[in-house]
Amino acid sequence: MEALRDVDPAQIGAHALLARLGAGGMGQVYLGRSPGGRLVAVKVIRDEITGHPEALARFRREAETVRAVRSAYTANLIDASLAAAPYWLATEYVAGPTLGHAVAERGGLPADTCLRLFAALAEGLASVHGYGVTHRDLKPQNVILGAQGPQLIDFGIARGVGETALTQDGHAPGTPGYTAPEVLRGAEAGAAADVFALGATMAYAATGRAPYGTGDAATVSYRAVHEPVDVAGVAPGLAALIGACVAKDPAERPDPAEIVRRCGVRDALVDDPVYAGLGALGEPVPVPAPARVPAPVSAAAPVPAAVAVHALPTEGPGYPYAPTRPEASPARPARRRAIWAGAGVAVAAALALAAWKLVPPAGDEGAGGPSGASGGGSSAQGRTGAPTAPPAASGDPQGAGKPPAEYIEGNRVSRYLWTGAPDPVQAAQGIGQCNQPAEEKTPGAGFQSAVSTTSRNGVPGGSASIKMRIKYAEMEKTRPAPYYVSVAVKSPHDIEPGTGKPFPTDNRAVGYTSKPVDIYTHWQSGGDVELTYPDDFSMHGGGRTWPAVPLSADPGDWTVVFYHVEDDPAKYASIACSGFQVG
C-alpha cells in the first residue's frame, strides 16, 4: 500500500480514494471509502487500454462473477461502472495479508495450521463451485488471510461452467506452478484444476518454497506436468493430501468436500494461534487528513453534478451494460493527502489486480485469418505466396491514393511476438521468426524488410534500424499509386506509459509506431525506406501520445510489425513481421 500520487483521482464514483493498493497491466487498485464510511477496494482500468474490447469484456465478466458469487469466502461487489469510461468496480475491503506475503515473511506454516487452512480454502472452493464458477487462478497471492477466515480474491479470469472462452492465444490461464497439467496441455480449466491449484498453494504454505521450483514459465510448467510437487520435510499426512490434490490425472484428485473430510479439523481456523498472529503482517490503514472547509460558492459559480448511481449487470455476461441513471461527470476534487496510522492495524486488499493477458478474437488484426509465417528479412507476398498487382491510383477500396492517417491508433490487441535465433549476433540482425503470419497481401512484386540494432552515443544496441522496400519497384515504368506503411515496434513486455517500466506480462499492445510513409518513395532509385527506433516512433491511444521508451528499458526479443494504413487511424492491416534482440 502506498500514498496517492498527484496523477490519481481523488474520487471514483461515490468513493473517496485513500491509498494505492497495487497495480498491474490492466490498471490500478485503490483503497476507498464509501459515503457512509465503509472501506472498499476499487479497481480501475487504465485509460490507455479502454479501447480493447477483450479487456472490457474480461473486466465486465469479473464484475458479473463477483456479483453472482455471494459467499463468506469472497469479497462482495459494492458498486461498479461498466457502461462508460472510466470503468471500475468496488468490492468490500478485508483486513489481512495475502498468504503469499505471510509465508514469505514467516516461512512455512505448521502442519496443524496448514490442515485448518486447507479445509477452509477447500470449503471456499466448494462454495464458489456451487455457483457454477471456476476460479482458474488460485495461488498464494489470491488468498487473503482475513480475521474471520481466508477469502478468495481476483476473479479476473474466472469462468462459469459451460461458458465459452473469450479468446484463444496459445497461453494457458492461471499462473505457472499452480496451473494444472491438463490445462497446460490445452484442456479447459474445470473444478479439478482449481483443486490442483489448491494443492500447489498448500505446498507453498507448508514449505515456504515454490511448489515446482523457480525459473522461466516454460520450465516451471514442464515440472508441473512431469515432476512431483515439492513437499520435502512436510508431515506425511499433509504431504499425502497435497499429493492427491496435485495428481497429474484430474480424475484422481479429491473434490473439495473430500478434502475437508480428510483434513479432519475440529477447531476453528481463527482460533489457531499461528493464523491469528499472521494478521499483524498487514499494512496500516491510511487515515485521510481533515478536509478543508470549502470557500462559499457564489451564485455565478457552477455546481458540480451529483455522483451517478451505477447499475450492475443483470443478464449475466451479455452486453451492453446500461446505467440505471445517466452518467454524470463530477468535477475532480482537489488532492487530499493521507496521514498513515500507526502499526497495529493489519489490512490487505480484498480485490487484487490481475495482470491479464489480453488476447483477441480471430481476425482482429486485419481482414481474414492467418495462413503462414513471415520471418525477419524475408519476402512477405500474402496468403497465396504469389506477387500481387499494385493498388489502383484512384478509387481503390484499400484506401490507396488517399491521404494517409497521421498515425495508427493503438486500439487493438496484437498477437505478434518475434523470437530471435539462438545465436545472439544473428538475433540482433533480425534473424528469427514470428508466431503470426501476414494478414494482407502486399503490393507489387513482394515486400522486403531488414532490421538490426545499431550503436548510439557509443552504446551498442542503443537504437534499431528498420528498412523496407518493394522488390523491383524501380523497374516499373510509371510510379505506382501510394501504398502507405506504418511500422510498429513492440517491447517484449507491456510497458506502463506513465513510468516507462515493463510489466511481467507478454506485450499484447500494438506498440510504438511510425508515421505512415509511402513504400514507393524511392521507386525509381530502388532505395530503401529507413526508420530509426526510438527517434521515429511514438504510441497513440485514447487521444494521447507517448514517446518511445529506450531499448534498454526491456531487454529481450523485440517485435517489428509492418502495417498497411488507410485514411483512418483505426484502419490498418499487417503485411509482415520481423524483430531484433536487445541485450
Side-chain angles (χ1 to χ4, degrees), residues 43-46 50 56 59-60 81-89:
K43 178 187 288 187
V44 185
I45 286 189
R46 286 193 346 230
T50 55
L56 297 182
F59 189 70
R60 286 164 172 157
S81 176
L82 307 174
Y87 301 95
W88 58 270
L89 61 85

Side-chain angles (χ1 to χ4, degrees), residues 90-509:
T91 67
E92 60 185 344
Y93 187 78
V94 180
T98 67
L99 176 60
H101 176 68
V103 173
E105 290 290 321
R106 297 284 176 85
L109 306 179
D112 288 346
T113 302
C114 283
L115 285 171
R116 295 185 180 101
L117 179 60
F118 214 150
L121 290 175
E123 190 173 65
L125 270 187
S127 177
V128 170
H129 292 171
Y131 286 89
V133 171
T134 52
H135 188 285
R136 302 194 342 140
D137 197 20
L138 177 60
K139 57 186 176 183
Q141 292 76 18
N142 284 346
V143 174
I144 294 289
L145 304 181
Q148 303 303 315
Q151 292 216 334
L152 303 175
I153 63 172
D154 199 347
F155 286 82
I157 62 174
R159 183 180 301 161
V161 174
E163 184 180 344
T164 303
L166 281 176
T167 57
Q168 297 292 335
D169 71 337
H171 294 278
T175 301
Y178 300 90
T179 302
E182 68 272 17
V183 179
L184 293 170
R185 290 190 173 108
E188 184 54 59
D194 279 351
V195 170
F196 180 95
L198 174 59
T201 295
M202 291 311 305
Y204 172 80
T207 67
R209 301 184 299 268
Y212 291 97
T214 58
D216 60 71
T219 299
V220 174
S221 295
Y222 177 89
R223 296 191 192 114
V225 173
H226 299 286
E227 298 179 6
V229 68
D230 176 10
V231 287
V234 177
L238 176 59
L241 182 54
I242 291 172
C245 290
V246 298
K248 307 304 182 187
D249 183 352
E252 296 179 358
R253 298 171 200 152
D255 62 23
E258 174 64 13
I259 296 172
V260 173
R261 188 193 69 77
R262 290 182 60 173
C263 286
V265 298
R266 288 178 170 79
D267 302 307
L269 174 64
V270 295
D271 293 331
D272 184 293
V274 174
Y275 182 89
L278 297 177
L281 298 176
E283 297 182 82
V285 177
V287 178
R292 292 181 298 176
V293 178
V297 179
S298 65
V303 178
V307 175
V309 176
H310 304 276
L312 302 181
T314 57
E315 299 180 357
Y319 313 118
Y321 296 102
T324 53
R325 300 181 189 174
E327 294 285 347
S329 300
R332 178 170 174 169
R335 165 67 55 242
R336 285 184 286 181
R337 302 188 180 276
I339 299 175
W340 297 85
V345 182
V347 296
L351 182 66
L353 183 66
W356 290 313
K357 291 185 176 180
L358 305 183
V359 286
D364 69 330
E365 295 224 27
S371 57
S374 169
S378 64
S379 174
Q381 299 183 12
R383 294 187 184 86
T384 64
T388 59
S394 62
D396 177 64
Q398 297 288 333
K402 299 178 182 178
E406 288 295 315
Y407 59 87
I408 64 175
E409 185 81 22
N411 62 346
R412 64 178 66 171
V413 177
S414 172
R415 294 168 291 176
Y416 294 99
L417 290 174
W418 178 86
T419 303
D423 180 84
V425 176
Q426 291 181 325
Q429 296 173 346
I431 299 175
Q433 62 180 5
C434 237
N435 66 337
Q436 291 291 330
E439 296 188 1
E440 179 181 292
K441 295 179 180 179
T442 57
F447 179 89
Q448 293 183 322
S449 65
V451 300
S452 61
T453 56
T454 57
S455 297
R456 167 162 293 191
N457 298 326
V459 178
S463 62
S465 172
I466 302 164
K467 300 178 181 180
M468 54 185 174
R469 59 169 293 186
I470 297 295
K471 187 178 181 181
Y472 304 130
E474 68 274 14
M475 298 179 65
E476 298 285 343
K477 294 182 178 180
T478 58
R479 190 189 195 286
Y483 187 91
Y484 294 102
V485 175
S486 177
V487 181
V489 176
K490 292 174 50 176
S491 53
H493 304 95
D494 190 17
I495 299 290
E496 165 59 51
T499 65
K501 302 295 185 181
F503 290 111
T505 55
D506 288 344
N507 193 348
R508 297 285 168 173

